[in-house]
Amino acid sequence: MKASTKVLAGFLFAMGASAAYKLSKSEQDQENLKAKLNDVQSQLADMVDKASTAVQPYIEQAKASYVSSKEALSDSVVPSEDDNQEDIELEETDLDLNK
């Protein structure tokens, strides 16, 4: 082999080795990043579960309060009150502004 061919082969081998090292390094970095992402997602899911568990009694209490307030309001409005009052009737002469 000629010296120039040997130098070219050595250069290509070094480039290939460098690319393989970078590729393996980036794959390892991607795996580490995926592991960190999974950890963060599981922590977030745990926090959401804890928060919903902590808030659940207050939500139930608010729902019960809403239902009781709605019932109290509907009980306080009596439709028969409107029936007992006389209707106001206006005649055309009552609307005359020149009186």
Side-chain angles (χ1 to χ4, degrees), residues 35-51:
K36 286 180 183 179
L37 182 61
N38 289 337
D39 289 343
V40 168
Q41 286 177 338
S42 65
Q43 288 175 353
L44 181 62
D46 291 341
M47 287 174 32
V48 167
D49 289 341
K50 287 179 183 178

Side-chain angles (χ1 to χ4, degrees), residues 61-80:
Q61 184 179 5
K63 285 180 182 178
S65 175
Y66 172 74
V67 169
S68 65
S69 297
K70 184 178 176 182
E71 290 172 356
L73 181 62
S74 66
D75 290 343
S76 68
V77 176
V78 180
S80 64

Side-chain angles (χ1 to χ4, degrees), residues 74-87:
S74 66
D75 290 343
S76 68
V77 176
V78 180
S80 64
E81 288 180 358
D82 293 337
D83 294 339
N84 294 337
Q85 294 179 354
E86 294 182 20
D87 289 339

Side-chain angles (χ1 to χ4, degrees), residues 8-72:
L8 182 61
F11 178 73
L12 291 176
F13 177 75
M15 282 184 56
S18 175
Y21 175 76
K22 287 181 180 180
L23 183 61
S24 67
K25 185 74 170 164
S26 68
E27 287 177 358
Q28 184 181 11
D29 289 343
Q30 287 177 356
E31 290 175 9
N32 289 340
L33 185 62
K34 286 179 184 178
K36 286 180 183 179
L37 182 61
N38 289 337
D39 289 343
V40 168
Q41 286 177 338
S42 65
Q43 288 175 353
L44 181 62
D46 291 341
M47 287 174 32
V48 167
D49 289 341
K50 287 179 183 178
S52 64
T53 303
V55 173
Q56 189 64 31
Y58 299 110
I59 292 174
E60 294 299 324
Q61 184 179 5
K63 285 180 182 178
S65 175
Y66 172 74
V67 169
S68 65
S69 297
K70 184 178 176 182
E71 290 172 356

